[in-house]
Amino acid sequence: MRMAKQNGCKFVLVDPQYTDSASAYDAWWIPIRPNTDAAMMAGMAHYIFTSNLQDQNFINKFVQGMDAGTMPDWAKDKENFKDYILGKYDNTPKSPEWAAEICGVSADDIKKLAQLYATTKPAALKASWAPGRNAYGEQYNRMAAALQSMTGNIGILGGCAEGIGKAWHAEGVAYPYDEFANVFYESIKSDRWAHCVLNYPNVKREEIGLWPGGKAGDGVIPNIRGIFWQGSDWFNQLTNINKEIQAINKLDLVVCNDSTITPSGLYADVLFPIATHFERHDVALPWYKGHYYIHRPKVIEPLGESKTDLQIYTELAYRLGGDQFGKRYNPKANRDYFLYNDAVDNAYLQEWWEHKVMAHQHVDMSWAEFQKYGIYKFKLDRPHVAFQDNVEKGVPWPTASGKIEIFSGQLAQYDDWTKTAYGYEIPAIPKWIEPFEYLGDKEKTAKHPFHLISPHPRHRTHSIFNNIGWLRETYEQEVTINAADAKKLGIKTGDTVEVFNDRGKVVVPAYVTERCMPGVLVIYEGAWLDLDENGIDRSGNPDMLTLDEPSPAGSFAYNTVLASIQKTDLAHKPGWDRLATARSHVFRRDL
Amino acid sequence: MANEPVPKNPVLQDKATIKEAIVRHKKEVYTPVVPAQQFGFIHNNVDCIGCRACEIACKDKNGLAPGPRFRRVMYVEGGTYPAVYAYKVNMSCNHCAEPACLPTCPTGAIYKRKKDGIVDIDSSLCIGCRRCEAACPYGAPQFIPEQNIVSKCNMCVDEIDAGRKPYCVMACMMRVLDIGPIDKLREATYPTKAMAPHEKDKLVRQVKSMADPELTNPSIVFIAHSNGRVDEPKEPK
């Protein structure tokens, strides 16, 4: 990106915050009200259609349902995207002026950006994930796909077909997919577990996103009595923590696997100490499909009583199901795997490397060499561009119609949404749908006038590493608030404030800045919960305030939150110890 | 800006008074070492994303607990919504040509290397009096309470002697931090990824909120943000 900037690439950031990326890439910052991105993009689409700037050739060739001419024969009477945008169905053209009212971006800026995006070839619309983690967030992602395809920016170098590139597919799991790996296919949306526990049996399947697997038991509301946690920290990560606390007190058994004690671990009946990745043998695949593998040798023996997850599961398999079950669960292991796992782990990894990585991905480096060298990086003969073959060679898209489905044939054919994984209706074409709560909601903003967003922090990974002093020193949990808003409330940088709504309350220091849109509050997710006797979180975990109602397509509505803010006498507890030197306390320079 | 600006000390605004004091002080106590080749840092204030990997790499290398920070990335921001700007200033020890810390040391623990001008503290001689901490205009010396000594960036001398670059530079994922011979860096003749070829005119010795380089002649240059320059009138973005 830095080199792109040096070569003259122009950046635009649409975000409630002027981020450090915006400053580093000298971006044109367009502040937008949270959860209204789909409306802004509809306004852009309106400008592109009415100015006739769309790539009609690309649309006719590759896209289904962009306009009347590209609708499938069986659906000629259904709504198409262009006519929706032009207001044919509801007499409301989705014009830039219409969008400006909703998203707080001026119509002129929407037109200017639409003109820039439609006439710059190629142009990459990076529809990142946070705006999708909202009520009806799927409409934002689909609206972005509509813009990308109407401008022909898919399948070409420099374009972008989605938020984050997914061009390279690593070979996944090395450890055994045994014959019992998945014998139960029913699942629910994970942020609805508390709702399910608290309301059982008066729960409808659509309320919990009960996944229809087409198997016996399909659609039966689960009576959840116990939870086995592995590799996650729900009390830092899932929505509406107060509801989770209520629910967990109703359970009979909670088991937690983790390498450190976490807020979730505090609620567990059984806590298994798990070996860290320094204490077991593995291969790391880059998150989000980078084109390399990293060897992860066992650097030290597991500390204390720690065991790997697989050691614990194998031992459980032997104890629950006897020798036969244990052997079939982990075929390369013997009964003593709980004590001696090195040779077995190596055998699995070696088999995976030789029979999957080497065989499928034309890797010529042997397992022994790879271990010695530590990293294998694929040399790509050309840049990986998603959907290049579809556009250049006419390979059909992996959809039912073989085209980019702006009009989704699948969604159009559902008649009973409660029997789908979504539970609630999703329109067949991308549309702006008013979120559960947002700044445009006059009634709800009268009570809680601020929109709270909770982006990913850069000084920890979700909640992981919040216990690392070095990282906590680089940043303190804080709420970011616009300077004009803060002035009205008498809040200054460093003041301790409470941020609250009907779901919960947190106590954090304030960071007052001009870099945040008025009406918006920002608290980074993943702070380690620290409840006082009144159930107020002193650490500042924004999930105390989030809504546990997922969007129909399944995304959690982390960023669909209205809240209030005021000064407080309560003390903030930055973590389970005091290590931070807050950015707000130390690094400010008033110019 | 968010908070009220602090009124400036009129005495500290008068460069002539400061210079006079420096000259008087230097004459009395200290003739600086003139190195064969002075090494220094270059940092791109604009392209730095403020990830602070350099800080963490430095703490790793030097075994520092939370608290003392040899390298410090400072976040600067200004403007009024929505016309705002932001940039970073990244500093450790500037290995000054005329280090202010050195003559304050009562035990002679602080020294400047003849070879490359690196300023270091001999921890076996340091008594933790913290005078150097007070003298440095850039906040480089850091007190380490567990050991009761002052320590600071030594540009990873062991890495330099092995022909490599310091940990902070090696950790910089944006390649905006680098070291090199300071005279060449100042002339923009040293090849470095910290600066794009067309950014030569943005190369400066001093940025806003930084002490006057005339004080100690620090071995550092920056690619400055337009709002961070001290040699031009501030233009709103």
mmCIF file of all heavy atoms in Angstrom, chain B residues 25-34 97-99 102-103 112 114:
data_model
loop_
_atom_site.group_PDB
_atom_site.id
_atom_site.type_symbol
_atom_site.label_atom_id
_atom_site.label_comp_id
_atom_site.label_asym_id
_atom_site.label_seq_id
_atom_site.Cartn_x
_atom_site.Cartn_y
_atom_site.Cartn_z
ATOM 1 N N HIS B 25 28.329 26.481 29.288
ATOM 2 C CA HIS B 25 28.381 25.173 29.920
ATOM 3 C C HIS B 25 29.405 24.272 29.257
ATOM 4 O O HIS B 25 30.242 23.654 29.911
ATOM 5 C CB HIS B 25 26.990 24.541 29.850
ATOM 6 C CG HIS B 25 26.857 23.316 30.698
ATOM 7 N ND1 HIS B 25 27.052 23.335 32.046
ATOM 8 C CD2 HIS B 25 26.564 22.031 30.379
ATOM 9 C CE1 HIS B 25 26.880 22.138 32.544
ATOM 10 N NE2 HIS B 25 26.587 21.323 31.532
ATOM 11 N N LYS B 26 29.385 24.235 27.938
ATOM 12 C CA LYS B 26 30.288 23.355 27.204
ATOM 13 C C LYS B 26 31.742 23.719 27.447
ATOM 14 O O LYS B 26 32.580 22.860 27.630
ATOM 15 C CB LYS B 26 30.007 23.459 25.707
ATOM 16 C CG LYS B 26 28.889 22.554 25.241
ATOM 17 C CD LYS B 26 28.690 22.776 23.769
ATOM 18 C CE LYS B 26 27.413 22.094 23.340
ATOM 19 N NZ LYS B 26 26.946 22.643 22.068
ATOM 20 N N LYS B 27 32.032 24.983 27.435
ATOM 21 C CA LYS B 27 33.411 25.442 27.618
ATOM 22 C C LYS B 27 33.975 24.940 28.924
ATOM 23 O O LYS B 27 35.119 24.539 29.021
ATOM 24 C CB LYS B 27 33.436 26.965 27.597
ATOM 25 C CG LYS B 27 33.825 27.509 26.239
ATOM 26 C CD LYS B 27 34.131 28.981 26.375
ATOM 27 C CE LYS B 27 34.199 29.611 24.985
ATOM 28 N NZ LYS B 27 33.793 31.010 25.002
ATOM 29 N N GLU B 28 33.112 24.948 29.918
ATOM 30 C CA GLU B 28 33.598 24.579 31.240
ATOM 31 C C GLU B 28 33.952 23.102 31.334
ATOM 32 O O GLU B 28 34.928 22.733 31.932
ATOM 33 C CB GLU B 28 32.520 24.895 32.286
ATOM 34 C CG GLU B 28 32.477 26.360 32.646
ATOM 35 C CD GLU B 28 31.263 26.676 33.497
ATOM 36 O OE1 GLU B 28 30.667 25.736 34.044
ATOM 37 O OE2 GLU B 28 30.913 27.858 33.581
ATOM 38 N N VAL B 29 33.095 22.266 30.760
ATOM 39 C CA VAL B 29 33.238 20.863 31.139
ATOM 40 C C VAL B 29 33.565 19.881 30.036
ATOM 41 O O VAL B 29 33.979 18.766 30.312
ATOM 42 C CB VAL B 29 31.954 20.361 31.835
ATOM 43 C CG1 VAL B 29 31.771 21.053 33.153
ATOM 44 C CG2 VAL B 29 30.745 20.538 30.930
ATOM 45 N N TYR B 30 33.380 20.205 28.779
ATOM 46 C CA TYR B 30 33.332 19.073 27.869
ATOM 47 C C TYR B 30 33.704 19.424 26.436
ATOM 48 O O TYR B 30 33.222 20.391 25.872
ATOM 49 C CB TYR B 30 31.906 18.512 27.912
ATOM 50 C CG TYR B 30 31.638 17.433 26.891
ATOM 51 C CD1 TYR B 30 32.404 16.275 26.868
ATOM 52 C CD2 TYR B 30 30.617 17.575 25.955
ATOM 53 C CE1 TYR B 30 32.154 15.297 25.940
ATOM 54 C CE2 TYR B 30 30.358 16.597 25.020
ATOM 55 C CZ TYR B 30 31.139 15.453 25.017
ATOM 56 O OH TYR B 30 30.895 14.491 24.100
ATOM 57 N N THR B 31 34.581 18.616 25.842
ATOM 58 C CA THR B 31 34.853 18.688 24.415
ATOM 59 C C THR B 31 34.319 17.402 23.790
ATOM 60 O O THR B 31 34.768 16.321 24.148
ATOM 61 C CB THR B 31 36.376 18.767 24.143
ATOM 62 O OG1 THR B 31 36.927 19.733 25.029
ATOM 63 C CG2 THR B 31 36.648 19.132 22.709
ATOM 64 N N PRO B 32 33.340 17.547 22.928
ATOM 65 C CA PRO B 32 32.718 16.310 22.412
ATOM 66 C C PRO B 32 33.675 15.471 21.561
ATOM 67 O O PRO B 32 34.548 16.011 20.886
ATOM 68 C CB PRO B 32 31.553 16.826 21.564
ATOM 69 C CG PRO B 32 31.513 18.297 21.705
ATOM 70 C CD PRO B 32 32.763 18.755 22.370
ATOM 71 N N VAL B 33 33.473 14.186 21.618
ATOM 72 C CA VAL B 33 34.198 13.251 20.755
ATOM 73 C C VAL B 33 33.745 13.484 19.313
ATOM 74 O O VAL B 33 32.557 13.623 19.052
ATOM 75 C CB VAL B 33 33.866 11.801 21.166
ATOM 76 C CG1 VAL B 33 34.407 10.796 20.145
ATOM 77 C CG2 VAL B 33 34.394 11.505 22.545
ATOM 78 N N VAL B 34 34.676 13.552 18.403
ATOM 79 C CA VAL B 34 34.293 13.664 16.996
ATOM 80 C C VAL B 34 34.491 12.303 16.340
ATOM 81 O O VAL B 34 35.609 11.848 16.164
ATOM 82 C CB VAL B 34 35.126 14.740 16.275
ATOM 83 C CG1 VAL B 34 34.703 14.842 14.809
ATOM 84 C CG2 VAL B 34 34.976 16.078 16.965
ATOM 85 N N ALA B 97 25.663 14.763 18.390
ATOM 86 C CA ALA B 97 27.061 15.145 18.186
ATOM 87 C C ALA B 97 27.609 15.796 19.460
ATOM 88 O O ALA B 97 28.775 15.640 19.798
ATOM 89 C CB ALA B 97 27.177 16.097 17.004
ATOM 90 N N GLU B 98 26.732 16.543 20.147
ATOM 91 C CA GLU B 98 27.143 17.151 21.416
ATOM 92 C C GLU B 98 26.159 16.713 22.495
ATOM 93 O O GLU B 98 25.319 17.488 22.921
ATOM 94 C CB GLU B 98 27.137 18.676 21.296
ATOM 95 C CG GLU B 98 28.068 19.195 20.219
ATOM 96 C CD GLU B 98 27.555 20.515 19.641
ATOM 97 O OE1 GLU B 98 27.318 21.436 20.443
ATOM 98 O OE2 GLU B 98 27.378 20.592 18.419
ATOM 99 N N PRO B 99 26.253 15.481 22.948
ATOM 100 C CA PRO B 99 25.222 14.953 23.857
ATOM 101 C C PRO B 99 25.146 15.734 25.167
ATOM 102 O O PRO B 99 26.168 15.969 25.815
ATOM 103 C CB PRO B 99 25.650 13.504 24.095
ATOM 104 C CG PRO B 99 27.049 13.385 23.589
ATOM 105 C CD PRO B 99 27.293 14.492 22.631
ATOM 106 N N LEU B 102 26.028 13.496 28.427
ATOM 107 C CA LEU B 102 27.380 13.022 28.718
ATOM 108 C C LEU B 102 28.105 13.836 29.794
ATOM 109 O O LEU B 102 28.568 13.259 30.782
ATOM 110 C CB LEU B 102 28.181 12.970 27.405
ATOM 111 C CG LEU B 102 29.410 12.081 27.382
ATOM 112 C CD1 LEU B 102 29.665 11.545 25.995
ATOM 113 C CD2 LEU B 102 30.632 12.791 27.931
ATOM 114 N N PRO B 103 28.158 15.169 29.632
ATOM 115 C CA PRO B 103 28.898 15.933 30.664
ATOM 116 C C PRO B 103 28.222 15.962 32.026
ATOM 117 O O PRO B 103 28.861 16.322 33.012
ATOM 118 C CB PRO B 103 28.958 17.343 30.068
ATOM 119 C CG PRO B 103 27.887 17.405 29.048
ATOM 120 C CD PRO B 103 27.692 16.021 28.540
ATOM 121 N N LYS B 112 30.886 8.320 24.280
ATOM 122 C CA LYS B 112 30.528 8.360 22.866
ATOM 123 C C LYS B 112 31.581 7.608 22.095
ATOM 124 O O LYS B 112 32.781 7.866 22.249
ATOM 125 C CB LYS B 112 30.453 9.824 22.411
ATOM 126 C CG LYS B 112 29.866 10.025 21.018
ATOM 127 C CD LYS B 112 29.621 11.511 20.763
ATOM 128 C CE LYS B 112 29.159 11.750 19.328
ATOM 129 N NZ LYS B 112 27.822 11.197 19.039
ATOM 130 N N LYS B 114 34.093 6.449 19.339
ATOM 131 C CA LYS B 114 34.903 7.142 18.335
ATOM 132 C C LYS B 114 34.541 6.651 16.927
ATOM 133 O O LYS B 114 34.530 7.407 15.956
ATOM 134 C CB LYS B 114 36.379 6.853 18.648
ATOM 135 C CG LYS B 114 37.372 7.623 17.821
ATOM 136 C CD LYS B 114 37.643 9.013 18.417
ATOM 137 C CE LYS B 114 38.480 9.808 17.407
ATOM 138 N NZ LYS B 114 38.177 11.222 17.339
#
